[in-house]
Every structure is written in structure tokens, then in C-alpha cells.
Amino acid sequence: MSRATGDDISPSSENGLVDPNVLQKLPKGSRVLSIESHGISFWGSTYRIDTEVADGRPHFFFMKVLPGGERARDMVRGEFESMKAIYAVTPDFAPKPLDWGPLQSDPDQHFFLCEYRDMISEMPDPDRFAARLAALHSRSVSPTGRFGFHVVTHNGNLPQKTDWEDSWEVFFAKSLRHALDLEIQAKGPDPELDRLAPVIFERVIPRLLRPLESEGRSVKPALVHGDLWYANSGVDVETNQSLVYDACCFYAHNEYEFGQWRPICNRFGEEYLAAYRSYIQVSEPEEDYEGRLDLYKL
């Protein structure tokens, strides 16, 4: 897939600029007018594809292309299944995903294709955003009734552990252990980590998460975006409504979503948490709420 710009495009030679496997995923009768680099991705290249359907109406698409063989395949598949899951529950909260697959011209590269939504980078209205996020969490239903996801999803380029588990405490502990193992593989062992990790797994996690599933309490597995920071959200230019993208979903405790909001670099501040709590109450025991979010921040 060559990166084309508007200066390179000739509508009369449009189909030569789009990989045949991508063309097959566009609506039947689509005529490609142009393909341009659009947006930024840490792991690949991103494009806007402008088309015209049979009756002459314009139709726009967004495409991400990732190199890297099996890793790229798994990343693209995970993103497609994540966005498909979000769209199925809250179709007004995400661009419609269309498909994914390898490029015919280079099978080691894989594409993700969805509808294009023109967005501005302003922060969304807290109440509108919270209402849609709360709807995603509350309306979603785990297909197994457990925590996890049916495919491996990637936070950035790192695979998440998404095996199904009955207990949220068990799922979270295994997920965090998996993340720490990846960190150690990448950077080597660390004496301080060796000292602190047992405390986290043997004391902190049981103390903060076990009460959620004790004394008659339970946790509903809710579909979470998984990497919901401000750069993975936007405001639709036409509707002025909130949208999310670049998801790495799984079914989790809904409050897991907010650990990503704890770092100071994020822009989802207390006004967004307060707006969300007006739709979904804090889980019991409420006194552990701040501690749980600090744990999820890890």
C-alpha cells in the first residue's frame, strides 16, 4: 500500500491506488475518487478513502494499515472485534467498522477499515460523554457471563490477556501479571519490582478487589473500551456528539475504564467522573473506590 496524497490522485486511475483486498470490502458499486494520508498512528499508516456510490453520493472511509506479519494481524483483528462490539451496543458512540484483513499486495501488512467520521479534537461535553459511556457499560452483556474477550486485543502493540474468568479478582491479577511479564521481557529484571510485585498480588489485589465479590456482592462484566484516554475520543463535526475509537476491549469491572484517567497527562478530569456517577453509582464497598482506581491505573 503506497501512501498517496491529494497531488498524486487522478480519479481516472483511482482503483490502482487501493489494494484489491480493500476494494472488495467497500460497498458494492463504489468508485474510489482519492486516498490520502490522514491522521497519526504509532504503529502503522492511516488513510481517508473518498468514494462515490452508484447514485453519485459521496461516501468516505478510514483505513489503518499495520506492518508486521502475525502481530499486525492480531492487532488489526483485535481492533476490529473491539469496535464491532462497541458499535453493536452503542452505534452512536463509534464509527461503524467494516472489515479487516491482509493486503493482497503484501500479506504481511493488514488493514482495518471503517466508516470515516470527521472529528474535532476538542474535549467532549462531560455529561454527553458520560451518558454514552455509561450506556456502553450498562447495556453490554458478556456472551459467556464471564470476564474476558473472545479474541486477544492489544493495548498499543502489547497483547492483553483476555482468557475468560469467572472472578474479576482472578482476571485482573492474571492480566496484571501478564503485563508485568512483558515489561520484564522488554527491560530485564528489577530488584524493586521483585520486592513490590508480591505485595501487589498477595495483599493489595485481594484487599481491594475481593470485597467486590464478597458478602453477596457481585461484579457485572461490562464491555470496556480498554484504552480510553482523550486522544482516543473525539467530537463528530456534524452531530456534535462524542465518539471513541482505537479500542482494545474486554468485559471487565466498569470502573477499570477510569484507571486510564488517573495519570496527570490525561484530560478526563473529575468533571467526567462526576458526570458518569450520575448515571452509574460507585461499586460497593464505596470506601475502596479511590484505591481501586489507583490499582487499575497500573
Side-chain angles (χ1 to χ4, degrees), residues 193-297:
L193 192 60
D194 292 341
R195 179 173 58 86
L196 292 176
V199 178
I200 293 291
F201 289 98
E202 296 170 15
R203 297 175 59 186
V204 177
I205 291 177
R207 166 61 189 85
L208 290 173
L209 300 190
R210 192 164 298 171
L212 290 167
E213 301 173 299
S214 303
E215 300 179 5
R217 291 184 287 263
S218 63
V219 176
K220 171 192 178 291
L223 185 67
V224 296
H225 177 285
D227 188 22
L228 190 53
W229 64 306
Y230 71 88
N232 284 345
S233 70
V235 177
D236 186 285
V237 170
E238 291 187 6
T239 66
N240 201 35
Q241 295 295 328
S242 303
L243 294 170
V244 296
Y245 48 92
D246 281 353
C248 51
C249 290
F250 53 91
Y251 291 88
H253 179 208
N254 65 300
E255 292 174 359
Y256 174 87
E257 200 87 272
F258 309 128
Q260 183 70 284
W261 298 8
R262 292 304 241 190
I264 196 168
C265 62
N266 209 328
R267 299 178 187 173
F268 287 121
E270 177 56 36
E271 67 274 24
Y272 289 89
L273 285 168
Y276 180 90
R277 291 194 295 265
S278 72
Y279 293 98
I280 297 180
Q281 295 181 342
V282 171
S283 298
E284 295 290 345
E286 189 172 345
E287 59 267 24
D288 292 342
Y289 174 70
E290 294 293 332
R292 290 193 299 263
L293 296 200
D294 282 337
L295 178 61
Y296 296 157
K297 177 182 173 181

Side-chain angles (χ1 to χ4, degrees), residues 104-155:
Q104 186 181 104
S105 58
D106 183 357
D108 280 341
Q109 297 193 61
H110 289 74
F111 69 90
F112 164 75
L113 184 69
C114 69
E115 68 174 351
Y116 174 82
R117 302 285 289 272
D118 195 11
M119 288 181 279
I120 54 178
S121 58
E122 294 179 3
M123 291 298 292
D125 174 80
D127 187 71
R128 290 181 179 180
F129 184 81
R132 291 192 167 187
L133 183 60
L136 174 66
H137 291 165
S138 61
R139 295 176 189 169
S140 55
V141 178
S142 168
T144 66
R146 296 184 288 173
F147 302 96
F149 205 57
H150 62 286
V151 299
V152 173
T153 56
H154 286 66
N155 194 316

Side-chain angles (χ1 to χ4, degrees), residues 66 121 164:
L66 302 185
S121 58
W164 296 107

Side-chain angles (χ1 to χ4, degrees), residues 180-191:
L180 284 175
D181 288 345
L182 291 176
E183 181 79 3
I184 292 169
Q185 289 174 20
K187 298 184 179 179
D190 179 86

